Amino acid sequence: MGDDPERPAPTQQVWARRDAFVAARDIYVTAVLSRTATRTPFPAGGGYRPDRPVFVQYTNPEILACYGIDARERHAALTLTRALEATRLALLLTERHLLIPASYIFEIPWYRTFLGCLAPLVRAGALRYVSPVPDLADYREMKVHEYRRDRLNPYRRTGVRGICSDPDFTWAPRHGGGTAAGIGDLWRDALQPGGELHGIVRGTARRWHRPRGRAERLLGRTPERLDGQAFIARFVERALPVPLTPPESTSLAFFLSRAYLRSYLLDLDAAVLSDLPAGDLTCGLSRRTPGMDGRLLPARRLDSVLHWLGIRDFVHRAARWDELLRLRSLPEFGLVIDRVYDDSAADALRIAVLEARRSHRFRHAGTYAEAKSNVQAVAGTMADFTFTDRKTWSDDP
């Protein structure tokens, strides 16, 4: 601002301690103004959109198994604790609701306990279940068939009780073609030379003592050979002519979970948390994956900003669910969160926090009122300087 020799630069008094703030602020405000001039929305974090629901993949047993976590038995207690912590962050990242596939309710032994802890979110409509049919009893009957050859068929012994029969537990229909259909299309492409699973084709042909082309054709028919069973790793491996090696088994599990997750995110136009304590939990999806830009939201980044704001402990330990809903509804909180996933605004946000900390209003938050005050102080700092520079820019000849 002011490099043009024919345009006089606005006079601006800058104290030494604020030089860094002004530098970061000017870079950020220039970006804001240039986007405003073209009437395009500010693209937060490569496409982050708070109007997207957040998909609760961090309780998916197949995805967790890819990261060495036995969510059903050995690591059940730890997974439940981590899921409740992740849910607090996920709730702050959407203006809508959280989505859980109905399958989790039946396949994870502790899920009724998890949903019981989230009862206030169920009653508020902030947590919804996804299935092709609204009635969970009907859904259960559909899934019994898909798991009919599973020795421990979870749908055979689990009924619909408690929070799951609550009329406030809202159904979120899935309008896409279904997980199996989407994975089947990706499966055949991945088996081709150069595809993600072509190594499994080569290994199968070698151990099966058959030509590679025959192995590829057989593996290509796996969706049909499953005969309506769920398209998950252990069922797929049973349909293969020879056992897989451990690396091949891992590659298969990651591919199927990645395809499953991508299918849900696109069908539901949803986002997910990534970079969680248990692992990335996206099975290899990245911002470069087609359709995934803006859908993968690193939890560690949000946690860092909550720490800067002095509200991390409040969010994770003290806040009730209704207080988190109130916090995320603050316009000031929305302003801050937009900047969390906007790489071009990270420095401006960091320095705005430093400025706000000098205010007597800023303190380590132990209550909702204190958390609200901290957020408003930081948002106010950003807004004050943005307004000043907007006015200065418009006054330039």
Side-chain angles (χ1 to χ4, degrees):
M1 303 174 67
D3 289 339
D4 186 344
E6 296 183 0
R7 173 181 294 174
T11 303
Q12 191 174 42
Q13 185 176 10
V14 179
W15 289 271
R17 68 182 178 86
R18 300 180 64 187
D19 283 348
F21 176 81
V22 172
R25 180 205 67 202
D26 286 351
I27 293 172
Y28 170 66
V29 172
T30 299
V32 171
L33 292 170
S34 64
R35 292 184 177 96
T36 302
T38 57
R39 298 184 180 273
T40 57
F42 201 110
Y48 163 65
R49 282 174 31 200
D51 63 318
R52 281 183 174 136
V54 173
F55 184 69
V56 180
Q57 101 288 7
Y58 48 80
T59 60
N60 180 280
E62 308 300 329
I63 290 176
L64 288 166
C66 289
Y67 293 83
I69 300 167
D70 180 2
R72 295 184 179 94
E73 296 181 4
R74 188 157 54 100
H75 303 125
L78 177 60
T79 305
L80 171 57
T81 299
R82 285 176 168 172
L84 290 170
E85 292 174 351
T87 299
R88 289 174 171 268
L89 297 180
L91 195 63
L92 296 177
L93 291 177
T94 176
E95 296 171 352
R96 297 185 65 195
H97 45 263
L98 308 183
L99 294 169
I100 63 165
S103 60
Y104 298 177
I105 297 170
F106 298 93
E107 296 181 22
I108 304 174
W110 47 264
Y111 223 74
R112 306 303 174 91
T113 301
F114 177 64
L115 292 176
C117 293
L118 305 182
L121 299 184
V122 171
R123 289 192 292 269
L127 180 69
R128 303 183 181 185
Y129 67 92
V130 181
S131 68
V133 294
D135 191 301
L136 286 172
D138 291 343
Y139 174 78
R140 173 182 173 274
E141 291 304 313
M142 293 169 53
K143 299 295 283 188
V144 164
H145 177 71
E146 288 187 23
Y147 284 74
R148 63 191 180 278
R149 295 175 187 168
D150 191 1
R151 181 174 58 87
L152 300 176
N153 187 335
Y155 295 92
R156 186 176 295 126
R157 61 181 186 274
T158 306
V160 179
R161 303 182 305 275
I163 192 72
C164 300
S165 58
D166 191 319
D168 290 329
F169 200 14
T170 307
W171 174 52
R174 187 178 179 193
H175 301 294
T179 307
I183 294 178
D185 295 339
L186 295 172
W187 171 265
R188 295 178 183 87
D189 291 341
L191 295 172
Q192 302 297 317
E196 298 174 64
L197 299 180
H198 193 64
I200 292 179
V201 173
R202 294 194 303 269
T204 298
R206 184 171 59 254
R207 292 187 297 276
W208 192 32
H209 306 296
R210 300 290 192 279
R212 189 176 299 176
R214 183 175 177 185
E216 183 177 323
R217 288 191 296 274
L218 178 70
L219 266 64
R221 293 196 300 272
T222 296
E224 292 79 16
R225 297 178 69 229
L226 285 174
D227 190 24
Q229 293 184 91
F231 209 144
I232 59 177
R234 66 179 184 273
F235 292 170
V236 170
E237 290 202 46
R238 292 175 195 169
L240 302 181
V242 292
L244 299 182
T245 65
E248 289 171 346
S249 184
T250 298
S251 177
L252 172 66
F254 267 82
F255 169 82
L256 291 176
S257 289
R258 182 166 59 249
Y260 158 92
L261 185 54
R262 180 177 178 273
S263 172
Y264 264 97
L265 295 184
L266 293 177
D267 284 354
L268 300 170
D269 191 21
V272 289
L273 281 176
S274 63
D275 195 18
L276 289 149
D280 192 60
L281 302 190
T282 60
C283 296
L285 290 178
S286 73
R287 289 172 62 174
R288 293 183 294 276
T289 304
M292 291 298 107
D293 190 27
R295 299 184 190 274
L296 312 178
L297 310 176
R300 190 178 308 182
R301 183 184 295 195
L302 175 58
D303 241 357
S304 294
V305 173
L306 295 179
H307 176 69
W308 298 351
L309 295 171
I311 66 173
R312 185 182 184 279
D313 287 346
F314 170 75
V315 166
H316 281 287
R317 295 179 177 86
R320 302 187 309 268
W321 294 115
D322 66 293
E323 290 177 324
L324 292 178
L325 290 173
R326 288 161 61 196
L327 183 66
R328 76 172 190 177
S329 69
L330 293 172
E332 296 90 348
F333 188 78
L335 178 65
V336 171
I337 291 299
D338 280 347
R339 307 305 175 250
V340 172
Y341 294 104
D342 178 358
D343 295 337
S344 68
D347 286 342
L349 174 58
R350 184 182 289 109
I351 298 168
V353 171
L354 294 176
E355 285 293 300
R357 281 182 176 177
R358 296 189 178 96
S359 166
H360 69 279
R361 297 175 295 167
F362 204 96
R363 67 190 68 186
H364 184 79
T367 66
Y368 171 77
E370 291 170 347
K372 177 180 178 181
S373 177
N374 287 1
V375 170
Q376 289 177 332
V378 172
T381 300
M382 291 192 296
D384 287 345
F385 282 100
T386 301
F387 176 79
T388 299
D389 280 287
R390 280 179 185 270
K391 186 173 186 300
T392 300
W393 179 274
S394 64
D395 287 344
D396 281 345

